[in-house]
Amino acid sequence: SEVMPGISFICDFKEDLRNKENLILQSLDSLIHFEHYKKDILINEKSYFLGCTLYDGYPMSHIDNNEHFLCIEGKLYGKDERRTRIELNYLANTLNGPIQEVKEGLSEWLLNTDGDFVIFVLNKRNNEINIINDALGRLPLYYYKGNKKLIVSREVRFIKHLIGGIKFDRMAIAQYLLFCYPLGKRTLFENVNRLEPATIIRIKLCDSQIEINNIFQFNFDKKKYASRNIEDNANHLVDLFNEACKDRNDSFKDYNNILSLSGGLDSRSVGACLQKNDIPFCGATFLDFNKTSETDVKIAKQLADIFNIDLNVIVLSPPKGKDNFKLLRIKNGLNYLSMSFILPFFDKIKEIYRSRIIYITGDGGDKFLHDIGPFKKLSNLDELINYIILNNQIFSLDRISVLTGIQKNELIDNLKNHLISYPEKEYNQKYVHFIIYERGFKWLFEGEDRNRFYFLSITPFYSIQFVNYAMNCPDSQKSNYRLYRKFLNNMNPEASKIDYADYGMPITSKKFNFNLLMRSIFNKLPATIKTTIKKVAKKPISYKYDSTIIKCLRDQLKNCNHIGEYLSQVEIENILNNPDIYRKQDIETLFTITSTIEDYHCNESTIEKYFEIDFI
């Protein structure tokens, strides 16, 4: 079974783990698929175990001295090995003491430490274990907390293997059908949670205590740099971005830098920055099987000429059953299966550049340099909920209710309580929190994690210093691409004169401003009118009645009775009998859920019967 690299940890105060060594090693083995993966056992004690799986070049290191055993997965950027050791020892020493003091010290450290990491610290003197993730939770980490027992892993499958009899979380399934990701700590599995960003797990081995504490959450109400003018803010962001690119390059000196280049603004910003700082890199882009990315390829070629780099254009065939199956096993439904088309692209990059690849993306640019707030002022919780659902939903609430048996008001109440827990007071900023913490962290981070199955995937946009500064710039400066334009222009004016694929024109043109004006008028129209215009302008693409995915879904219903425990079979059949009234994304979201339920409950996958068949 294919699985992510990363750490896996067990703590059990009831059973001697050494008696379960075979099961634990089997669970680790289930995380090894390709021969370039290997497993490593770091600690094997009576009540706790730490192991990991990795491939050559995957960043995993540990420090063992008289006081501590430290293990770090990932990197602290901008720090060489010596500096990293000093920082980690400093961190280990700040973890002693009451939780409130620890939180304050740790909060400051995390906000000043750029990196994608999970850190494990065993204090040998006081017999305490701490596990900490970075301020943004860049490496998804999952955990199961039972009675006197804790399992933490970068891989849901490892946890499932050890706790057996896994159940799915009905509310999470409903949320997934609504947004394509479950919210907050939820995964698709009951009692298996995703560790929130900036969280500490504390285990006191002497008195069998396990605590999980969130250290801080961003509050987007406050805009510290609202009084600074747009030029100053853009210049400062460029400085931080330069630093983020250089620090990442310094951390991976003997790797091949491959930039994922498209026709958007984010990847070209990264390319502009790499070129400006004389960091060597190549570009890679793909032409998908139905040619929807033709414009992106054309623009990527123009950008490659400006950056004076080689660009590999990889032409993709339709995804096959084996690609869907592989993605299902890697991400366990947390990256939806229609993304399986990209796996052959990664295979090709590996084939061309061999090992030690750094895959650099523009992920995050769309979150921090744009005004991602609502188009109108939201004045209460109901307006916020309606706005979130209207702008982010996959299936309608009524359809989800029929599919899952969860009442509409129960789903809305759950969403309400979740939104109330956000630290912001302003409803528009709560929406921003939703887009960053849910869509960003719960959907896009899982996609980046899929990439890490092949090679390291990094982005300078998620440098904590950059994020912190950008989110303190006022939304008014971000609106209509004003801040982005100055940011990109500052790095490479030529790159900003090339068409932006989403609009078919450069962001520097007068026509672009007119287009933005038209869009803002459209966005202010009532929702019903907008929906009608969209339907008339562009008919959603649907699957045909005899397409592979519809056939496979039908087979899943026959082969796995457990699907009916969570979803109405009658309603699924109703959808399958009328696929033309649903968008492709609807069917693919449902298919991801049914495939995950079948894989876990029936220990087999119907998709395997369609291994060499195109999923179109």
Side-chain angles (χ1 to χ4, degrees):
S1 111
E2 298 91 339
V3 172
M4 293 300 312
I7 65 163
S8 293
F9 169 77
I10 312 163
C11 176
D12 195 331
F13 293 119
K14 283 183 150 182
E15 282 186 81
D16 187 334
L17 288 175
R18 289 169 302 193
N19 297 336
K20 294 169 80 171
E21 194 169 335
N22 278 350
L23 177 64
I24 292 168
L25 294 183
Q26 266 173 28
S27 304
L28 265 188
D29 282 335
S30 80
L31 312 195
I32 292 174
H33 178 65
F34 288 147
E35 59 227 16
H36 66 280
Y37 269 64
K38 61 179 186 191
K39 70 170 185 273
D40 208 350
I41 294 160
L42 302 168
I43 299 174
N44 194 1
E45 296 288 336
K46 179 186 172 184
S47 60
Y48 57 98
F49 169 94
L50 179 69
C52 67
T53 48
L54 67 165
Y55 50 73
D56 179 42
Y58 189 79
M60 186 86 67
S61 56
H62 50 270
I63 301 165
D64 198 356
N65 56 36
N66 294 333
E67 295 193 5
H68 303 107
F69 174 85
L70 292 111
C71 174
I72 175 168
E73 176 183 351
K75 283 277 185 187
L76 311 184
Y77 298 125
K79 301 180 197 310
D80 59 19
E81 210 172 305
R82 183 180 158 275
R83 185 72 226 162
T84 298
R85 280 173 177 271
I86 292 167
E87 288 272 324
L88 291 178
N89 279 316
Y90 163 79
L91 173 72
N93 291 322
T94 63
L95 296 175
N96 303 329
I99 188 66
Q100 212 39 51
E101 279 175 31
V102 169
K103 270 179 152 184
E104 281 163 29
L106 202 46
S107 175
E108 194 184 331
W109 186 80
L110 286 174
L111 279 169
N112 288 299
T113 305
D114 180 17
D116 308 326
F117 57 79
V118 174
I119 297 169
F120 172 95
V121 182
L122 166 65
N123 186 319
K124 295 177 182 176
R125 302 239 160 127
N126 66 6
N127 245 0
E128 194 169 294
I129 289 171
N130 288 284
I131 300 170
I132 299 139
N133 62 354
D134 64 73
L136 299 167
R138 293 281 298 136
L139 305 180
L141 193 62
Y142 313 97
Y143 67 93
Y144 163 84
K145 187 171 180 280
N147 184 14
K148 300 283 182 196
K149 182 179 194 169
L150 177 77
I151 307 172
V152 181
S153 181
R154 289 273 281 110
E155 176 47 56
V156 169
R157 201 165 289 275
F158 179 80
I159 298 173
K160 184 259 174 185
H161 213 274
L162 285 164
I163 59 175
I166 208 155
K167 282 188 180 161
F168 284 82
D169 177 336
R170 290 175 182 281
M171 184 56 76
I173 288 175
Q175 290 174 350
Y176 197 102
L177 291 168
L178 184 58
F179 299 123
C180 209
Y181 42 86
L183 303 181
K185 291 188 249 189
R186 289 181 193 271
T187 63
L188 288 171
F189 307 93
E190 219 173 72
N191 301 323
V192 178
N193 294 320
R194 162 98 176 256
L195 197 71
E196 292 177 296
T199 293
I200 181 169
I201 298 174
R202 296 186 102 189
I203 301 163
K204 293 180 177 169
L205 296 167
C206 298
D207 46 13
S208 309
Q209 269 187 338
I210 300 167
E211 293 171 13
I212 299 173
N213 287 285
N214 185 246
I215 299 154
F216 71 85
Q217 260 193 79
F218 281 99
N219 181 337
F220 300 121
D221 274 343
K222 308 173 189 85
K223 304 291 177 195
K224 209 156 100 185
Y225 308 124
S227 59
R228 294 186 184 176
N229 67 42
I230 192 166
E231 275 78 16
D232 287 351
N233 280 335
N235 292 341
H236 198 82
L237 284 166
V238 167
D239 290 345
L240 290 171
F241 203 65
N242 282 328
E243 206 175 303
C245 281
K246 287 191 285 198
D247 287 348
R248 278 156 180 73
N249 183 56
D250 289 346
S251 292
F252 299 109
K253 274 206 177 321
D254 55 341
Y255 289 68
N256 289 308
N257 290 323
I258 313 300
L259 174 64
S260 173
L261 195 55
S262 70
L265 299 181
D266 307 328
S267 63
R268 81 177 66 178
S269 296
V270 179
C273 191
L274 294 173
Q275 187 206 27
K276 185 180 172 187
N277 290 289
D278 297 321
I279 295 167
F281 68 105
C282 299
T285 194
F286 60 79
L287 181 62
D288 53 333
F289 68 96
N290 49 20
K291 311 271 187 290
T292 52
S293 56
E294 241 168 353
T295 310
D296 278 287
V297 170
K298 189 180 122 204
I299 295 168
K301 284 177 177 171
Q302 293 171 323
L303 289 165
D305 286 343
I306 287 173
F307 301 145
N308 194 21
I309 58 161
D310 290 335
L311 177 71
N312 265 298
V313 180
I314 293 164
V315 180
L316 299 178
S317 305
K320 294 188 184 296
K322 60 185 174 191
D323 301 314
N324 278 278
F325 182 69
K326 189 181 284 186
L327 185 54
L328 176 66
R329 286 293 168 93
I330 296 169
K331 287 311 303 172
N332 309 287
L334 294 171
N335 183 226
Y336 92 132
L337 293 182
S338 77
M339 287 307 301
S340 62
F341 80 89
I342 206 165
L343 301 190
F345 174 60
F346 295 154
D347 283 326
K348 197 73 187 154
I349 289 175
K350 272 186 78 70
E351 199 183 298
I352 296 166
Y353 297 102
R354 304 286 172 199
S355 61
R356 299 183 92 75
I357 294 163
I358 296 294
Y359 184 67
I360 311 172
T361 73
D363 283 344
D366 61 329
K367 299 283 172 286
F368 306 122
L369 292 177
H370 292 247
D371 177 8
I372 56 172
F375 301 122
K376 59 179 188 179
K377 179 94 176 104
L378 305 175
S379 46
N380 58 48
L381 198 54
D382 288 335
E383 281 186 18
L384 172 63
I385 282 177
N386 289 338
Y387 194 88
I388 285 176
I389 290 171
L390 200 67
N391 288 281
N392 296 277
Q393 78 187 108
I394 311 286
F395 282 98
S396 70
L397 289 173
D398 290 326
R399 181 74 56 225
I400 293 166
S401 185
V402 176
L403 270 166
T404 62
I406 290 179
Q407 296 306 306
K408 203 165 145 181
N409 61 347
E410 195 187 335
L411 192 52
I412 287 177
D413 286 348
N414 193 281
L415 182 54
K416 257 184 197 171
N417 291 333
H418 188 61
L419 295 169
I420 289 166
S421 76
Y422 291 172
E424 293 81 10
K425 297 274 186 287
E426 284 184 37
Y427 293 105
N428 281 47
Q429 295 304 326
K430 275 188 186 286
Y431 182 76
V432 169
H433 194 105
F434 176 88
I435 292 298
I436 289 174
Y437 269 76
E438 311 298 346
R439 186 174 165 76
F441 295 173
K442 297 299 298 288
W443 197 64
L444 298 168
F445 281 14
E446 295 288 0
E448 287 183 81
D449 217 35
R450 167 205 65 221
N451 306 355
R452 290 189 194 101
F453 174 68
Y454 291 84
F455 31 62
L456 287 167
S457 185
I458 63 170
T459 168
F461 278 110
Y462 279 111
S463 149
I464 189 65
Q465 290 87 346
F466 183 87
V467 169
N468 212 356
Y469 195 94
M471 292 317 292
N472 274 293
C473 293
D475 296 334
S476 56
Q477 290 182 4
K478 294 179 184 178
S479 69
N480 291 335
Y481 293 84
R482 286 170 64 230
L483 184 63
Y484 213 138
R485 206 174 294 165
K486 290 192 182 296
F487 171 79
L488 183 54
N489 232 357
N490 185 317
M491 283 191 297
N492 191 322
E494 288 304 301
S496 55
K497 287 178 194 156
I498 301 287
D499 281 0
Y500 172 23
D502 288 7
Y503 287 79
M505 62 191 79
I507 56 169
T508 49
S509 67
K510 286 191 175 117
K511 207 169 146 197
F512 184 74
N513 290 332
F514 176 72
N515 204 302
L516 289 175
L517 177 66
M518 291 293 99
R519 285 198 184 203
S520 73
I521 292 168
F522 173 77
N523 285 327
K524 286 176 182 136
L525 292 171
T528 47
I529 296 173
K530 279 198 290 195
T531 310
T532 310
I533 293 171
K534 278 181 188 169
K535 275 183 183 166
V536 172
K538 194 179 180 188
K539 190 181 182 300
I541 305 166
S542 305
Y543 277 108
K544 292 188 172 65
Y545 185 79
D546 61 348
S547 62
T548 309
I549 193 168
I550 302 291
K551 286 180 187 166
C552 188
L553 258 160
R554 286 185 193 286
D555 283 354
Q556 285 178 341
L557 287 184
K558 283 187 212 134
N559 297 343
C560 180
N561 295 332
H562 291 280
I563 292 170
E565 290 172 25
Y566 302 99
L567 296 165
S568 158
Q569 286 185 275
V570 173
E571 187 54 25
I572 295 176
E573 284 183 20
N574 177 27
I575 291 169
L576 299 182
N577 289 334
N578 302 283
D580 53 325
I581 62 170
Y582 294 91
R583 297 168 306 165
K584 279 192 163 188
Q585 191 183 11
D586 304 344
I587 303 288
E588 288 156 358
T589 304
L590 178 63
F591 180 58
T592 303
I593 297 282
T594 55
S595 301
T596 310
I597 292 170
E598 183 192 33
D599 187 35
Y600 273 82
H601 270 306
C602 301
N603 287 319
E604 59 177 16
S605 179
T606 301
I607 299 172
E608 290 189 83
K609 294 176 191 163
Y610 294 85
F611 230 56
E612 294 299 335
I613 299 172
D614 292 348
F615 265 68
I616 47 173

